[in-house]
């Protein structure tokens, strides 16, 4: 049985190992990474799929500011499913659970960079993110948005910026 749950602190290495297996490290070179590095995931929105204790899927959402007025939103990604379990609906389950949790926490909108034909089924579309830009190169047709709260992305324009809580350096943590 597969269970979707918040990632436990001791699963950080296993989650990154799955992302490395799926993306071969390319997730660390993407423009979206500039919004993630040095930040903690959004509260309650770093999710894993577990099968018999092993991680078979991951999805993480991050706090961002959506454009010049800094309205809050979320960046989704990476989303990764164990290659051996593809096509069985696990990716969709991770998407639906994470979006429901985001809505439950009062978030207004989600953006991501990904394949529009996959994400359209969850309501993502390029037009919704059309006024926004990312801090680095990106393909406009792969930069997608979804309003959880109707109208949240209306008039959103300018740069998406990192808003997540900063990861504490060991020196700070000890202070
Ligand atoms: C994309 C991914 C998360 C989907 O997970 P999954 O569990 O296989 O997805 P689901 O079972 O929910 O959905 C499968 C459906 O999505 C389609 N699909 C999968 N990847 C797709 C893509 N990149 N573009 C369009 N459709 C895609 C499949 O063809 C299948 O279609 P069907 O329902 O008509 O048969 C998974 O394939 C994966 O980890 N891929 C590599 C990493 C990646 O691309 N992550 C997303 C960043 S863009």
């Amino acid at each position: 049985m597969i269970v979707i749950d918040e990632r436990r602190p001791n699963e950080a290495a296993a989650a990154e190992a799955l992302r490395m297996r799926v993306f071969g490290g390319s997730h660390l070179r993407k423009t979206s990474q500039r919004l993630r590095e040095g930040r903690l995931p959004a509260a309650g929105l770093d999710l894993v799929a577990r099968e018999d204790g092993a991680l078979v899927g991951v999805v993480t959402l991050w706090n961002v500011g959506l454009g010049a007025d800094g309205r809050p939103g979320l960046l989704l990604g990476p989303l990764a499913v164990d290659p051996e379990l593809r096509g069985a609906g696990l990716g969709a389950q991770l998407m639906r659970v994470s979006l429901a949790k985001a809505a439950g926490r009062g978030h207004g909108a989600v953006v991501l960079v990904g394949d529009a034909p996959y994400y359209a089924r969850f309501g993502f579309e390029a037009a919704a993110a059309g006024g926004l830009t990312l801090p680095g190169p990106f393909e406009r047709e792969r930069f997608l948005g979804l309003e959880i709260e109707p109208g949240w992305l209306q008039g959103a324009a300018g740069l998406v910026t990192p808003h997540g809580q900063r990861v504490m350096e060991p020196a700070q943590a000890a202070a």
Side-chain angles (χ1 to χ4, degrees):
M1 194 182 66
I2 296 180
V3 176
I4 296 180
D5 193 10
E6 285 182 40
R7 181 182 64 71
R8 298 177 184 139
N10 66 2
E11 290 175 322
E16 186 57 16
L18 177 58
R19 286 188 286 267
M20 289 302 286
R21 194 142 62 88
V22 167
F23 295 105
S26 66
H27 61 297
L28 300 174
R29 297 187 292 272
K30 290 179 178 161
T31 289
S32 297
Q33 182 63 13
R34 297 186 192 173
L35 298 165
R36 303 191 284 246
E37 58 200 356
R39 307 281 170 162
L40 294 174
L45 296 174
D46 189 10
L47 303 181
V48 300
R50 262 183 233 117
E51 187 180 41
D52 301 327
L55 294 201
V56 292
V58 289
V59 65
T60 309
L61 290 93
W62 308 81
N63 298 106
V64 290
L66 296 169
D69 60 12
R71 71 185 78 180
L74 294 168
L75 171 77
L76 184 146
L79 165 70
V81 167
D82 186 324
E84 286 175 23
L85 291 176
R86 299 256 171 96
L90 184 52
Q93 235 182 305
L94 282 163
M95 286 299 296
R96 297 220 159 87
V97 171
S98 63
L99 293 174
K101 283 182 182 287
R105 286 177 171 270
H107 293 287
V110 182
V111 295
L112 61 81
V113 180
D115 294 335
Y118 184 68
Y119 290 105
R121 69 198 67 187
F122 310 109
F124 284 87
E125 51 176 24
L132 296 167
T133 59
L134 292 171
F138 70 98
E139 294 166 81
R140 175 56 71 189
E141 67 278 9
R142 288 170 50 81
F143 181 35
L144 315 175
L146 169 76
E147 290 181 339
I148 295 175
E149 186 76 35
W152 197 268
L153 290 172
Q154 216 170 347
L159 193 62
V160 178
T161 51
H163 273 208
Q165 196 184 328
R166 286 180 193 279
V167 174
M168 234 192 277
E169 300 296 334
Q172 285 175 281

